[in-house]
Amino acid sequence: MGGLALSFGAPLVLFGLLALPAIWWLLKLTPPRPQMETFPPLRILERVLKREETPSKSPWWLTLLRLLLAALIIFALAAPTLNPREGQLTGTGPLALLVDNGWASGGDFDLRRTAAEGLIREAGEAGRPVSLAFTAEGQSDDATPVEANAALERLAAAAPRPIPTDRAAAAERIATALAGNRVGSLAFVADGLDAEGTDAASRSLAALAPSQAIVYAPDVGGLVGLTGADNSTEALVVQAVRPGAAAEPRSFAVRAIDAQEREIGRTSLDFAAGSASAEARFAIPVELRNDIARLEVEGAETAGAVRLVDDSFRRRRVALVSGESSDLAQPLLSPLYYITRALEPFADLVRPQSANLSESIPALIARRPSVIVLADIGILPDNAREALQGFVEGGGYLLRFAGPRLAAAPGDDTLVPVRLRTGERQLGGAMSWSEPQKIAPMPDGEPFAGIAVPEDVTVTRQILAEPAADLSERTWASLADGTPLVTAETVGAGTIVLFHVTAEATWSNLPISGAFVEMLRRIVTLSRAGAGPSEDRTAADSLPPYRVLDGQGRLTSPGADVQPLQPVADGDQPVTRENPPGLYGSEEGYLAHNLLPADAELQPLPALDLGVPVEARGYGGENAVDLAPWLFAAALVLFALDALALLWLNGAATRIGSSFSRGRAGALPAILAIAAIGLVVTVPDAHAQEPAPTPSAEQVADDDVDVERAIRATETTHLAYVLTGDEATDEISRQGLSGLSQFITAKTALEPGEPMGVDIATDELAFFPIIYWPIDAGAPMPSETAIGRMDAYMKQGGTVLFDVADDPISGLSGGNVSAGQRRLREILADLDVPPLDPVPTDHVLTKAFYMLDDFPGRHTGSQLWVESLVRDGEGGARPARGGDGVSSIMITSNDFASAWAVDSQGLFLFPTDSADPAQREYAYRAGVNIVMYVLTGNYKADQVHVPALLERLGQ
């Protein structure tokens, strides 16, 4: 057993060795010498030309070389095999052959076929029938004993399957076919892995009482399976397992392939010593990761080493847009704070570069997000609305959240799923008869089905939907009283979803619950690129096969036996012969059905109890060595040596050397010429780039003006006013703000600079904390671009003070209004403004610097309108009530600028309605309070509450 064995497939060919003496005699044989005749001119030629001599015999070493060449060819034709496998079968009776052809056999199925073929041929030579069964075939696999030739035909037609083995069923088919017949030999050609049903198969085979049992098991150290892929924020992480906990470390290469079979990335999968699991990380950009169609272990050639991915694998890009200007000041009150925390783990978030919605929304759509989130956006510019409409109709998801701005928006908004009532509904509090409402259980069949909402989650404010016949069909979630909480509508290929509460915790504590995270995750998961079966997949849908994996892990067209896949919502669908791993759906959308679940484990095949001692063997190709290819290769080397020897004996090497020596002098100039041409062609390319154009004097001058203006606007605080185009109106605004700046300098620590006029269509507005805008009906209507820039300025924290210097403003609605108020409404119609109220007595504006009850200007008949504050159940118990930020808009018609206006001598330019000088004094104080409120926010609300705060702290 310890020595080497040698056998020949065609031993009769070795008789050719007897011809070696004849070959030697032929090599030694030379033709007879010619008869010599003397011819005088030949004597002269003999002196001029060197005579070529023909040897009468070959050198001994050349003869030996040729004899060895002939011997190698004869040995190779005899088909020698080192360590040939001897007869494997013993006894008589049928041969029961069980062959694994599951997914683990895909990489080396030819070795299994070779081993099984040897057994069948040996059984055929002995006249023994063969009962053959495959473990990855269905009931159509007939194990009835047949002759060896028929079994060989079945074996040749067999192929590995990309599914797990069912050894118990295959063994049962053999036991049924051989019922009543004693089995002579039992052979199991295994894939080396343990599987469910192996013990049952062993018992069925042992019941056949075989006289001989043979088990072939390969080395499974190179087998690996991919169990999962996590497309996290930092990288793509791939999980893998291998059989058992092998002691030695091992590395594999994992490739990421796109739909066009192009390699996107490659990384190493390293198993530590004694570890059965490992992870591979792809640190590639998200844009490339989203193009991945499958992950595979290089060279594995099994379905288990391939991980298919579908649209659910790809990280969604979510664009976030907020209508609130205090995101950075107080993040916990920001509409986007909880949305960001909820979506960051499984989505890539993008924010607009500009607060101008007419610019930022088309720019965000150009980045191809899956979902766009609008948090409390009421009024949208026309071009932004059209861009969002096209985005939704093209398959995108628009997710909107309610808020004061949306509550104040007109009811004809087409980008909401249901028609909304103006204003909001308040639940609970001192001013309400109702109690905060809980959220009703999520209905079955809806996207939020199965999400459990905690009992302590309640809603205190919401936007109500107008009653409609299809309201219930568009409701995804509702409150306990039946009013909608989340509504949705399909528009084209996309969907609009609306939360009837805010995205932060002022209207409901839902955003601080885990249910909110799961609801957002469901919505983002539903967002897919394009329509298709995967768009609205539910547990009741079935998906037709699109592409399936074969036994070597390659995507192919599905066969006739592949059935549609019935997805399950509570786990992975098992892989079967009818549903092999692959892609189910269509080209527009599909579901990836993978072989190995996340908790899969691979274990080596254990020792089997087959009723008799088991002969454990490896495959024949692992020990036997076919020597014929090696002998032919050695003969080819000797043939090449023989050819070189002939060239050397005939002086060819000398002639080649002489020719090279003679041609070298002529080749050198050619080489130098080619090098010179290369330099001539290459050098001009180094100077082909033209220098960058020098900026013109006009451009430099413009840049200098912009820089100077920016420096002047930011080196000190300036009050700004809108240039209306009317010189008289603009001059009054300048003089009014100049007078107010002088008063502020005299009465406070603030020393503002001279007021600056701004063109809202072109100038940078972010330099100024407040902009005074006098409304003149005779001035031209601002362009859409100018309105969009002003809206962005307000969203970024700026405040605009609108002053309509005509009739007093008693309300912001109604039809009987002046020309100036009508122009104001036209401007506000394009601005996303929240609900407005007259300044209440407990507002911070009344206590920002002076204690005020009114805000007069040149006139006294108008109130000052600001953003509405959240209703306070404590009412007058609090001395000051401030918002969480500064009101982005103020409206009056008291003509502040005329009351503040002074000339160069400091004299007032316009009289007030009252002859009492106190009115102008209070007008200046109102201006100081407005500026201090804009600059300091609601700090005064905290200052007046200091006693109450200290009392709560126990000091």
Side-chain angles (χ1 to χ4, degrees):
M1 295 297 294
L4 297 177
L6 182 65
S7 67
F8 293 92
L12 296 180
V13 178
L14 296 177
F15 283 103
L17 296 175
L18 299 177
L20 290 179
I23 295 175
W24 174 81
W25 181 78
L26 290 174
L27 293 175
K28 295 288 292 181
L29 184 64
T30 57
R33 295 178 63 85
Q35 183 177 356
M36 301 295 295
E37 295 289 344
T38 303
F39 183 62
L42 293 179
R43 292 291 184 180
I44 301 174
L45 295 176
E46 184 179 7
R47 298 175 183 175
V48 176
L49 299 176
K50 183 178 181 181
R51 183 176 59 188
E52 292 187 3
E53 298 178 353
T54 301
S56 59
K57 61 181 179 179
S58 300
W60 68 269
W61 52 269
L62 183 59
T63 302
L64 181 61
L65 179 66
R66 292 174 175 175
L67 290 176
L68 183 58
L69 174 61
L72 288 177
I73 293 176
I74 294 173
F75 273 104
L77 293 176
T81 301
L82 185 64
N83 289 334
R85 189 168 299 282
E86 300 177 355
Q88 305 175 65
L89 302 180
T90 60
T92 59
L95 167 64
L97 181 58
L98 186 66
V99 179
D100 273 343
N101 66 327
W103 70 268
S105 62
D108 54 358
F109 187 72
D110 289 340
L111 295 178
R112 290 163 176 71
R113 181 185 282 116
T114 301
E117 183 179 354
L119 293 172
I120 295 174
R121 291 188 183 277
E122 187 174 347
E125 293 175 357
R128 302 168 62 178
V130 178
S131 176
L132 176 61
F134 297 95
T135 59
E137 302 295 338
Q139 294 298 326
S140 59
D141 182 43
D142 188 7
T144 302
V146 294
E147 295 183 353
N149 290 335
L152 289 174
E153 292 178 359
R154 286 188 57 203
L155 181 64
R161 301 286 185 181
I163 60 176
T165 59
D166 189 355
R167 293 168 178 165
E172 185 63 27
R173 291 196 297 270
I174 291 179
T176 302
L178 294 176
N181 298 322
R182 181 177 178 82
V183 176
S185 299
L186 172 63
F188 180 23
V189 181
D191 57 18
L193 287 183
D194 192 11
E196 183 180 358
T198 301
D199 292 340
S202 299
R203 291 191 295 269
S204 297
L205 296 176
L208 298 175
S211 59
Q212 179 191 18
I214 306 174
V215 175
Y216 292 86
D219 179 17
V220 292
L223 196 63
V224 62
L226 301 183
T227 58
D230 180 18
N231 198 0
S232 62
T233 304
E234 296 79 13
L236 166 62
V237 182
V238 182
Q239 294 83 26
V241 294
R242 63 173 177 173
E248 70 279 359
R250 189 154 185 172
S251 297
F252 301 88
V254 181
R255 304 168 62 223
I257 310 296
D258 66 4
Q260 285 73 38
E261 299 295 328
R262 296 173 299 191
E263 182 176 308
I264 295 179
R266 178 190 296 262
T267 189
S268 177
L269 176 64
D270 300 320
F271 286 91
S275 176
S277 61
E279 290 185 349
R281 299 176 65 87
F282 286 90
I284 56 180
V286 175
E287 289 78 6
L288 292 179
R289 279 187 261 161
N290 287 344
D291 291 336
I292 295 175
R294 75 174 186 272
L295 303 159
E296 63 179 26
V297 179
E298 186 176 27
E301 296 184 352
T302 65
V306 176
R307 194 75 184 178
L308 300 174
V309 298
D310 53 23
D311 194 58
S312 62
F313 164 83
R314 296 174 176 85
R315 288 181 64 83
R316 306 301 198 278
R317 176 171 290 168
V318 179
L320 305 179
V321 183
S322 171
E324 180 61 48
S325 61
S326 59
D327 290 355
L328 299 179
Q330 301 193 33
L332 292 179
L333 299 175
S334 165
L336 298 181
Y337 178 81
Y338 299 102
I339 298 176
T340 301
R341 291 300 184 91
L343 296 180
E344 270 182 340
F346 59 92
D348 293 292
L349 308 181
V350 293
R351 295 175 181 264
Q353 299 297 322
S354 170
N356 189 347
L357 298 181
S358 61
E359 297 177 357
S360 60
I361 288 182
L364 288 174
I365 294 176
R367 301 184 66 177
R368 302 183 64 182
S370 300
V371 181
I372 294 181
V373 178
L374 301 183
D376 192 19
I377 299 292
I379 298 177
L380 291 164
D382 291 340
N383 63 332
R385 180 179 300 277
E386 294 173 0
L388 285 174
Q389 190 75 31
F391 166 76
V392 175
E393 292 177 354
Y397 264 63
L398 177 61
L399 176 58
R400 304 191 67 174
F401 285 87
R405 286 176 173 81
L406 186 59
D412 57 351
D413 192 346
T414 59
L415 291 178
V416 291
V418 294
R419 186 175 179 83
L420 302 176
R421 292 185 178 180
T422 304
E424 68 266 13
R425 172 197 185 197
Q426 183 167 355
L427 304 169
M431 303 300 294
S432 175
W433 292 97
S434 59
E435 296 292 333
Q437 289 290 317
K438 296 182 179 181
I439 299 177
M442 300 299 175
D444 295 334
E446 297 295 340
F448 297 153
I451 297 179
V453 181
E455 289 293 328
D456 57 349
V457 173
T458 58
V459 174
T460 57
R461 299 174 75 186
Q462 69 175 140
I463 292 181
L464 291 175
E466 292 285 357
D470 58 349
L471 180 59
S472 60
E473 299 176 359
R474 300 185 183 186
T475 301
W476 283 6
S478 59
L479 301 183
D481 62 359
T483 55
L485 174 66
V486 181
T487 55
E489 179 189 17
T490 300
V491 179
T495 303
I496 301 176
V497 182
L498 171 64
F499 277 72
H500 290 242
V501 294
T502 57
E504 27 76 26
T506 55
W507 288 21
S508 170
N509 57 355
L510 174 65
I512 61 177
S513 68
F516 184 72
V517 177
E518 187 61 28
M519 293 167 75
L520 293 185
R521 183 189 293 268
R522 294 279 184 93
I523 294 174
V524 173
T525 302
L526 287 173
S527 64
R528 296 178 181 271
S534 57
E535 285 289 338
D536 304 310
R537 188 178 71 243
T538 64
D541 297 330
S542 61
L543 303 178
Y546 173 53
R547 295 285 188 273
V548 296
L549 291 178
D550 64 5
Q552 278 75 37
R554 299 168 298 192
L555 279 174
T556 61
S557 298
D561 55 344
V562 181
Q563 302 298 318
L565 180 68
Q566 192 82 16
V568 293
D570 56 350
D572 294 328
Q573 185 79 349
V575 172
T576 62
R577 180 178 173 84
E578 291 74 22
N579 294 131
L583 305 175
Y584 290 80
S586 65
E587 186 177 359
E588 289 77 15
Y590 47 76
L591 171 70
H593 185 41
N594 287 294
L595 175 67
L596 299 179
D599 57 351
E601 295 182 358
L602 304 182
Q603 297 294 337
L605 183 69
L608 302 179
D609 182 10
L610 300 178
V612 293
V614 175
E615 304 175 26
R617 296 180 180 177
Y619 293 116
E622 296 176 349
N623 297 320
V625 179
D626 185 6
L627 298 180
W630 299 98
L631 294 177
F632 279 120
L636 183 61
V637 172
L638 294 184
F639 181 79
L641 293 177
D642 181 84
L644 292 176
L646 288 178
L647 291 176
W648 180 71
L649 291 176
N650 292 330
T654 303
R655 289 194 296 272
I656 292 174
S658 300
S659 299
F660 177 77
S661 299
R662 290 193 302 269
R664 181 168 52 189
L668 183 59
I671 295 174
L672 293 177
I674 294 174
I677 293 173
L679 289 175
V680 171
V681 174
T682 305
V683 169
D685 292 340
H687 304 281
Q689 297 180 351
E690 297 181 359
T694 303
S696 64
E698 292 78 3
Q699 293 174 335
V700 174
D702 291 342
D703 293 341
D704 292 341
V705 170
D706 293 339
V707 172
E708 291 177 1
R709 177 180 174 83
I711 293 176
R712 185 161 58 91
T714 55
E715 63 183 357
T716 187
T717 301
H718 292 269
L719 306 181
Y721 59 94
V722 174
L723 296 173
T724 62
D726 183 81
E727 294 184 1
T729 302
D730 295 344
E731 181 62 18
I732 293 174
S733 298
R734 186 193 66 79
Q735 293 171 337
L737 294 184
S738 177
L740 178 61
S741 298
Q742 295 175 26
F743 188 87
I744 292 174
T745 302
K747 300 297 184 179
T748 71
L750 176 63
E751 298 181 1
E754 281 298 314
M756 299 179 64
V758 293
D759 183 351
I760 60 175
T762 58
D763 291 339
E764 178 57 57
L765 308 179
F767 300 145
F768 310 102
I770 184 171
I771 297 178
Y772 179 77
W773 190 341
I775 301 299
D776 185 1
M781 179 68 183
S783 64
E784 183 179 343
T785 301
I787 296 295
R789 297 181 80 251
M790 185 60 74
D791 186 71
Y793 166 77
M794 296 166 63
K795 282 184 168 59
Q796 290 174 325
T799 297
V800 181
L801 174 57
F802 292 95
D803 198 341
V804 186
D806 52 13
D807 295 340
I809 299 177
S810 58
L812 297 179
S813 61
N816 188 16
V817 295
S818 64
Q821 294 181 26
R822 187 176 298 108
R823 173 55 55 86
L824 175 62
R825 292 186 180 184
E826 293 173 355
I827 294 174
L828 294 182
D830 295 329
L831 289 175
D832 185 22
V833 297
L836 303 177
D837 284 328
V839 175
T841 57
D842 57 352
H843 197 282
V844 178
L845 263 171
T846 63
K847 304 171 178 67
F849 193 83
Y850 293 102
M851 303 294 291
L852 298 176
D853 295 328
D854 194 11
F855 296 86
R858 185 184 179 190
H859 309 300
T860 59
S862 174
Q863 295 176 313
L864 180 63
W865 294 73
V866 294
E867 289 185 13
S868 300
L869 298 179
V870 178
R871 297 183 179 89
D872 192 351
E874 299 181 14
R878 302 183 60 181
R881 180 162 56 99
D884 294 312
V886 175
S887 177
S888 61
I889 182 173
M890 299 181 188
I891 300 176
T892 186
S893 64
N894 283 338
D895 194 4
F896 281 149
S898 297
W900 300 332
V902 295
D903 60 12
S904 59
Q905 304 299 322
L907 301 178
F908 303 121
L909 295 177
F910 301 96
T912 60
D913 291 344
S914 173
D916 187 355
Q919 179 176 343
R920 194 180 304 273
E921 175 68 20
Y922 281 111
Y924 275 115
R925 292 186 180 185
V928 172
N929 273 25
I930 290 173
V931 173
M932 290 301 170
Y933 167 69
V934 169
L935 293 177
T936 61
N938 61 352
Y939 90 100
K940 181 64 74 171
D942 296 331
Q943 293 297 315
V944 299
H945 294 146
V946 166
L949 294 175
L950 294 178
E951 182 180 353
R952 290 187 178 185
L953 292 174
Q955 299 181 6

